[in-house]
Amino acid sequence: MKIILSFTLSLLCIFTGHSQSLKKYPISNSGCSLYIYCEPKFSVEKSTDSSLVFTGECVKDDISYGVVCVKLLNPVSDLTMAEDLLISYLDYLKENFNIINAAGYGKGHRLNNKENTRGILDYWEDKDKDKWKIKAWTDGKYIGFIYAYSKKELPEAKVNIFLDSFRLPGM
């Protein structure tokens, strides 16, 4: 009996040690949060229009996970216009991340099925041949750009959980 119990406890420790659970992290003092597989280090800067830009990234199992959260200085109440602003921001980020290929923006996503949000999905490849999967979210007050990238194929199910984990204030 002792041998079976010892063996069972050993297996439990091994599987628990190798599991990759999500942990919720506040995105600095933005009011937003996300669930992520590793502990990101956050920084904050101001954009050219003085919006607050919070960024964070970390690496787990050769996959980089990151977020850019923008607290818009001038909120947009029309969600169609907010989605257009989101696309403009993604176009800007493509250039800054040296993206050379993109599948094309997939629109129509809602964060937690909330109709007061808009989301966009895309697959990218950068000049270093890293494969990216991104989702960007907005409610007109905030923009959340969530991404994962790696040289290897991204584990879709795991990455999807992360990309959908962004939370706006009050969610």
Side-chain angles (χ1 to χ4, degrees):
M1 183 67 172
K2 270 178 136 177
I3 295 173
I4 292 172
L5 183 58
S6 177
F7 179 72
T8 304
L9 286 175
S10 295
L11 281 177
L12 183 61
C13 288
I14 289 169
F15 288 127
T16 303
H18 290 296
S19 69
Q20 298 178 354
S21 60
L22 289 168
K23 185 175 176 189
K24 186 176 184 179
Y25 290 93
I27 301 171
S28 192
N29 64 349
S30 68
C32 298
S33 62
L34 82 159
Y35 291 81
I36 193 167
Y37 297 102
C38 45
E39 186 173 356
K41 303 293 182 218
F42 292 105
S43 63
V44 63
E45 296 178 12
K46 285 193 175 185
S47 67
T48 54
D49 74 347
S50 294
S51 294
L52 291 175
V53 180
F54 303 87
T55 59
E57 187 173 292
C58 59
V59 178
K60 177 78 173 174
D61 299 329
D62 298 322
I63 300 171
S64 296
Y65 297 94
V67 60
V68 178
C69 177
V70 181
K71 183 177 181 181
L72 296 171
L73 179 66
N74 300 306
V76 179
S77 59
D78 180 298
L79 286 174
T80 301
M81 290 177 64
E83 187 175 60
D84 291 342
L85 178 62
L86 187 58
I87 289 170
S88 294
Y89 193 70
L90 290 175
D91 289 342
Y92 169 79
L93 289 175
K94 274 186 193 177
E95 188 174 313
N96 283 302
F97 288 129
N98 298 307
I99 303 303
I100 58 171
N101 289 316
Y105 298 136
K107 297 181 181 181
H109 300 271
R110 302 291 185 269
L111 185 57
N112 282 351
N113 296 315
K114 303 282 185 189
E115 278 303 314
N116 64 336
T117 65
R118 296 295 180 266
I120 293 175
L121 167 72
D122 205 355
Y123 293 86
W124 294 351
E125 183 181 341
D126 65 26
K127 69 177 178 112
D128 297 324
K129 303 293 184 204
D130 288 317
K131 298 162 189 64
W132 293 61
K133 184 169 185 183
I134 65 104
K135 257 193 176 171
W137 302 102
T138 189
D139 65 353
K141 299 177 194 107
Y142 290 84
I143 289 175
F145 170 71
I146 318 304
Y147 61 90
Y149 68 90
S150 178
K151 293 264 183 241
K152 61 183 184 178
E153 286 298 318
L154 294 170
E156 281 288 318
K158 182 178 173 182
V159 169
N160 287 344
I161 291 169
F162 164 67
L163 295 176
D164 290 333
S165 76
F166 180 73
R167 297 294 178 261
L168 293 159
M171 285 185 99

